[in-house]
């Protein structure tokens, strides 16, 4: 019966056709987003483990036991893959793996919103590290008349690597950021009236990190 309600934190949309359109856009973007970010050993798998672990906890708190179990099982499955994908990787995810994970994030988001009233903003908070890097990078490439669909090494984590950071250092640093994101997301769930402000705080943090990386290694050298 579609999506009659989408809770965004600051406001709620009750327009079923608009909600459906937004869901389609989210699915397409998420599939491509995860595929874009699968450009470093361990990165996509680590983020999938993080998203589905914390997402599973949120679902458990929302009494969505079966969905929480599925989310936790998916996180555990990807963790087994991550063991072999950790740098230096022995196996790789490929497009089939990354696009499937991108799809599943939005599927879990839609189902938990539709049937358990878990705000989509909570899933977005878990996903936002990837979203900020991908969206900002692609918009900047378009503004600089660079092809958005060709392979490139201008995402933030690529540029950190170019600046001399090892792959493992980037992954460990991402883990630290994920811990902060997890705390903010769980706080936003517990204090739902302040969800928008927790999201805003996280967004400012991630944009600040993006700008710091830009100072260390600019996307486009003069």
């Amino acid at each position: 019966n579609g999506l009659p309600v989408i809770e965004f934190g600051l406001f709620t949309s009750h327009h079923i056709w608009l909600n459906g359109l937004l869901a389609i856009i989210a699915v397409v973007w998420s599939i491509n987003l995860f595929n874009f970010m699968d450009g470093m050993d361990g990165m996509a798998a680590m983020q999938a483990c993080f998203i589905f672990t914390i997402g599973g906890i949120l679902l458990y708190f929302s009494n969505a036991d079966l969905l929480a179990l599925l989310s936790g099982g998916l996180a555990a499955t990807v963790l087994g893959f991550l063991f072999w994908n950790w740098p230096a990787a022995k196996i790789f995810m490929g497009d089939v793996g990354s696009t499937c994970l991108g799809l599943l994030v939005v599927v879990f988001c839609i189902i938990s919103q539709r049937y358990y009233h878990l705000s989509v903003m909570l899933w977005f908070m878990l996903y936002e590290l990837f979203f900020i890097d991908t969206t900002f990078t692609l918009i900047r490439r378009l503004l600089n008349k660079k092809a958005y669909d060709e392979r490139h090494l201008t995402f933030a984590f690529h540029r950190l690597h170019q600046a001399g950071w090892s792959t493992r250092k980037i992954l460990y640093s991402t883990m630290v950021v994920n811990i902060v994101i997890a705390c903010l997301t769980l706080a936003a769930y517990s204090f739902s009236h302040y969800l928008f402000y927790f999201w805003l705080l996280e967004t400012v943090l991630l944009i600040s990190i993006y700008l710091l990386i830009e100072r260390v290694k600019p996307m486009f050298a003069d």
Side-chain angles (χ1 to χ4, degrees):
N1 298 318
L3 284 170
V5 176
I6 295 184
E7 170 58 54
F8 289 101
L10 190 63
F11 64 93
T12 301
S13 172
H14 296 277
H15 303 285
I16 188 168
W17 295 110
L18 175 61
N19 296 345
L21 177 61
L22 291 174
I24 292 171
I25 293 172
V27 166
V28 173
W29 181 230
S30 181
I31 287 172
N32 285 280
L33 186 155
F34 229 99
N35 191 32
F36 289 150
M37 297 301 285
D38 184 26
M40 175 176 288
D41 292 352
M43 178 61 78
M46 185 181 72
Q47 288 305 102
C49 287
F50 166 71
I51 292 169
F52 288 110
T53 297
I54 306 301
I57 292 172
L58 294 174
L59 289 164
Y60 177 77
F61 288 162
S62 302
N63 297 316
D65 295 344
L66 178 58
L67 206 58
L69 182 63
L70 290 172
S71 186
L74 183 57
T77 302
V78 180
L79 181 63
F81 169 83
L82 180 59
F83 179 82
W84 300 103
N85 186 237
W86 195 257
K90 297 178 178 64
I91 59 175
F92 302 93
M93 187 175 295
D95 291 351
V96 174
S98 59
T99 55
C100 179
L101 289 172
L103 171 65
L104 287 173
V105 171
V106 181
V107 168
F108 272 79
C109 175
I110 290 173
I111 293 175
S112 58
Q113 163 71 70
R114 178 68 177 83
Y115 297 103
Y116 300 100
H117 311 293
L118 192 64
S119 173
V120 298
M121 289 300 295
L122 294 168
W123 286 94
F124 182 73
M125 288 178 71
L126 297 176
Y127 210 3
E128 194 172 13
L129 187 147
F130 269 15
F131 180 85
I132 291 289
D133 192 0
T134 303
T135 304
F136 278 35
T137 299
L138 293 182
I139 289 175
R140 293 179 64 194
R141 287 184 63 83
L142 288 172
L143 291 175
N144 282 271
K145 299 180 180 180
K146 304 289 185 181
Y148 71 92
D149 56 347
E150 67 179 15
R151 181 176 175 82
H152 60 89
L153 301 174
T154 54
F155 290 115
F157 67 90
H158 284 140
R159 289 184 282 128
L160 273 179
H161 196 269
Q162 294 161 11
W165 285 42
S166 68
T167 301
R168 293 193 179 199
K169 184 178 179 180
I170 295 171
L171 293 176
Y172 289 137
S173 299
T174 303
M175 285 184 188
V176 173
V177 176
N178 281 341
I179 291 172
V180 176
I181 291 175
C183 292
L184 289 172
T185 305
L186 292 171
Y189 176 83
S190 300
F191 305 97
S192 58
H193 292 301
Y194 300 101
L195 191 158
F196 172 79
Y197 300 102
F198 284 112
W199 165 77
L200 185 62
L201 179 59
E202 178 186 311
T203 301
V204 171
L205 171 65
L206 293 176
I207 292 176
S208 298
I209 292 172
Y210 187 90
L211 293 176
L212 284 173
I213 295 173
E214 179 66 20
R215 292 189 63 181
V216 172
K217 181 67 176 180
M219 181 183 295
F220 303 111
D222 293 333

